Amino acid sequence: MRFVIALMRHETNTFSPIPTPLHAFNRGSTDGPLHGEDAVRACRGTNSAAAAFMDLVEGQGDTFVMPLMANAVPSGVVTAEAFESMAATIVDAVREGCDAVMLDLHGAMVAEGYADAEGELLARIRAVAPDVPIAVSLDFHANFSAALIDNATVIAGYCTYPHVDVYETGARAARTLMAALRGEARPVMLWRTLPMLTHMLRQTPREQPMKDIMDRAMAAERDGEVLNASVFGGFPLADIPHTGLTVVIVADADRADAGRRLLDDLCGMAWERRADFVFPIEPMESSIARARAAEAGPVILVDHGDNCGAGGPTDEMTVLAEVLRQELEGVVAGPFWDPAAVAHLIEAGVGSTVTLDVGGKTDMPALGLKGRPLTLTGRVQCITDGHYQVTGPMFTGMKLSLGRTVVLDVGGTLVVVCEKPQEPFDTGVFTHAGIDLSRRKYVLIKSRQHFRAGFEPIAKDIVLVAGPGVCSSDYSLFPFRNLRRPIYPLEADTTLQAA
């Protein structure tokens, strides 16, 4: 058999002021997507669904083509040019003929003209290959329209956050697809989106309220009650009509009733716990003062308001300014996105003492925020090319790049400034520059949950800091216009009938 395998991932924060063009779709050292053998080499041996697809296909003696690997850091709406180019590349490969398609997608991509870009992609594939089976691996933060469900054969989602089971998710989707191709299963999909915006700091299946819900889904799939069971926390920073918590069940046609019962159980559990999915916000100054009292480090300070893993520009400097004001010692902070500052520091050279404005280059008009640079004086300690390979459990083996990166020593505080935004889910963002995190009392990063994959093992304590930005957990700040309403907790009296 011949398979088409493709990877196209982007999580779109519709409140981000930074559009996402085609050249942004590679987190490594090159610009733009990879194709063919370059795409295969970049994915092979990594913790990705695409790698699982390749391994399974080759393991059974079949062949595949990989027309696209396109993976962008979360940011604003994907440009029409970028989406059309990527979609056409995949559709053209399917048009040439195949027995099945396996897609490593995100599920929360919004492109110009398409609130559900992945659903549009699948509809286009269906237009040229109406009967081809399609397996899709999706991120835990996927949002769903009917187009995404109606045009897929099998869907499986990550069961973890941080996402450390990406390869296994691809394998779960692929196994069901292969069973269908062999005539051993007849998959039918059952799904429901609940009228609730969960807070991303309360979504993780590692803890309640999500843990029991995800455990029930995983047990049902493991025990053969259904073919696949996935609970999606959803991506709440997308102002589109189908944002919300979604449950997707893939059942065998002969056991569809069991799938419906499981769907009802999982949705009922989530809805009953809706108040527990709301994150209480502590004032930023109080969080940092609490961290200041810590006796031992490393203490991980997590600025979750400006996290590029959820679409923030990572150049908001308010939290660092407060850390410096409260005189925390032994700090490493970053990486902060500021290509202009990087160029200035590189021109000055290692060992130079420089005074310059860092960050604050990005206005965020959706929330009425103006960029405010932070003036720093320090010595250029280190300059790197920003390349590193992930060694932690999330996307293990992937080669990533911060672009050119500079470490600025500001009175003992190390500030890492880079050309390309990257969420620090792996310690490589610091260690590639020779920074020994065990010798730092405080590590200030911009993240939300993914940092736990790489940083939790070294942390003596973790303090969440509610800095300003387009990733804020205060939903009252966002001018939502396109959500289905009513929706909890924006309307506290929302009923389940709103679904």
Side-chain angles (χ1 to χ4, degrees):
M1 291 188 292
R2 181 179 188 270
F3 293 80
V4 171
I5 297 173
L7 184 156
M8 184 184 79
R9 287 204 297 248
H10 185 256
E11 184 177 72
T12 306
N13 183 328
T14 61
F15 301 101
S16 170
I18 302 173
T20 309
L22 186 62
H23 68 75
F25 277 87
N26 193 298
R27 293 191 179 192
S29 58
T30 61
D31 286 336
L34 299 176
H35 307 279
E37 287 304 312
D38 288 338
V40 172
R41 281 191 294 271
C43 287
R44 192 178 295 281
T46 65
N47 184 8
S48 67
F53 296 156
M54 292 188 292
D55 289 348
L56 193 58
V57 169
E58 291 177 331
Q60 61 191 24
D62 293 319
T63 64
F64 69 88
V65 294
M66 189 169 185
L68 184 76
M69 177 193 175
N71 188 15
V73 171
S75 47
V77 173
V78 175
T79 65
E81 177 187 15
F83 175 72
E84 294 297 337
S85 174
M86 294 185 294
T89 298
I90 297 172
V91 172
D92 287 349
V94 175
R95 186 183 286 112
E96 292 178 5
C98 62
D99 294 284
V101 178
M102 293 190 283
L103 301 174
D104 184 344
L105 306 178
H106 187 284
M109 179 189 290
V110 180
E112 291 176 323
Y114 301 105
D116 178 8
E118 287 95 344
E120 175 63 19
L121 170 65
L122 265 65
R124 294 185 186 189
I125 292 174
R126 279 275 170 252
V128 302
D131 300 318
V132 67
I134 304 173
V136 184
S137 167
L138 292 175
D139 192 284
F140 173 75
H141 293 106
N143 293 319
F144 286 83
S145 74
L148 186 53
I149 297 288
D150 293 346
N151 292 297
T153 307
V154 176
I155 286 176
Y158 308 164
C159 299
T160 60
Y161 179 33
H163 308 321
V164 297
D165 66 329
V166 183
Y167 182 98
E168 177 55 29
T169 301
R172 289 166 50 219
R175 284 194 292 264
T176 301
L177 179 72
M178 297 305 182
L181 289 170
R182 293 190 299 265
E184 299 169 359
R186 292 188 297 140
V188 295
M189 280 201 290
L190 312 165
W191 70 294
R192 188 176 305 153
T193 296
L194 300 179
M196 53 189 285
L197 290 180
T198 57
H199 283 78
M200 298 175 75
L201 283 165
R202 299 288 290 151
Q203 285 180 336
T204 178
R206 295 157 46 118
E207 302 172 356
Q208 304 296 5
M210 184 63 82
K211 186 178 187 304
D212 290 346
I213 302 169
M214 188 64 80
D215 285 350
R216 172 75 176 95
M218 294 169 67
E221 182 173 325
R222 183 179 59 249
D223 297 342
E225 185 178 341
V226 295
L227 298 173
N228 297 104
S230 303
V231 182
F232 298 88
F235 185 60
L237 303 178
D239 187 16
I240 53 177
H242 43 272
T243 298
L245 184 149
T246 301
V247 178
V248 178
I249 306 298
V250 184
D252 194 287
D254 294 335
R255 301 192 62 191
D257 287 345
R260 293 187 188 95
R261 288 193 295 271
L262 178 62
L263 179 66
D264 289 342
D265 287 349
L266 296 174
C267 289
M269 292 172 71
W271 184 250
E272 288 173 4
R273 301 176 181 197
R274 61 193 180 277
D276 297 331
F277 282 100
V278 177
F279 176 74
I281 298 172
E282 179 182 49
M284 173 190 66
E285 297 82 359
S286 300
S287 301
I288 295 172
R290 182 159 52 87
R292 190 173 188 272
E295 294 183 0
V299 176
I300 312 299
L301 300 171
V302 187
D303 175 7
H304 54 87
D306 178 38
N307 160 33
C308 74
T314 67
D315 77 338
E316 219 294 326
M317 308 303 291
T318 301
V319 174
L320 177 58
E322 182 64 18
V323 164
L324 295 174
R325 189 189 71 80
Q326 293 198 28
E327 299 182 339
L328 275 65
E329 297 180 350
V331 179
V332 58
F336 297 99
W337 174 59
D338 190 338
V342 168
H344 184 86
L345 292 168
I346 290 176
E347 183 178 359
V350 172
S352 301
T353 297
V354 181
T355 298
L356 79 166
D357 288 343
V358 175
K361 308 295 195 300
T362 309
D363 295 337
M364 291 168 266
L367 274 68
L369 297 174
K370 297 285 291 183
R372 296 176 59 189
L374 179 63
T375 302
L376 297 174
T377 298
R379 183 181 64 85
V380 179
Q381 175 174 297
C382 176
I383 297 172
T384 81
D385 61 9
H387 300 344
Y388 65 100
Q389 187 166 16
V390 177
T391 58
M394 182 174 167
F395 298 122
T396 313
M398 285 253 179
K399 294 181 179 179
L400 302 180
S401 177
L402 298 166
R404 296 184 302 171
T405 300
V406 180
V407 180
L408 184 68
D409 185 341
V410 181
T413 292
L414 303 183
V415 179
V416 179
V417 191
C418 60
E419 287 185 315
K420 296 173 66 174
Q422 176 63 56
E423 181 175 6
F425 57 80
D426 187 79
T427 56
V429 296
F430 296 120
T431 59
H432 89 278
I435 297 172
D436 183 353
L437 296 177
S438 69
R439 299 175 65 87
R440 311 305 300 183
K441 185 173 181 181
Y442 299 100
V443 181
L444 170 58
I445 55 178
K446 291 177 176 288
S447 184
R448 196 184 301 270
Q449 287 285 356
H450 288 327
F451 76 92
R452 295 182 184 275
F455 289 83
E456 193 169 58
I458 69 169
K460 290 292 193 299
D461 196 5
I462 293 170
V463 177
L464 302 178
V465 183
V470 294
C471 306
S472 173
S473 294
D474 185 352
Y475 293 164
S476 69
L477 300 175
F478 293 86
F480 289 107
R481 297 185 178 89
N482 300 307
L483 295 177
R484 290 169 299 184
R485 307 296 283 263
I487 191 166
Y488 185 88
L490 301 186
E491 287 83 34
D493 59 350
T494 301
T495 64
L496 196 54
Q497 284 67 39

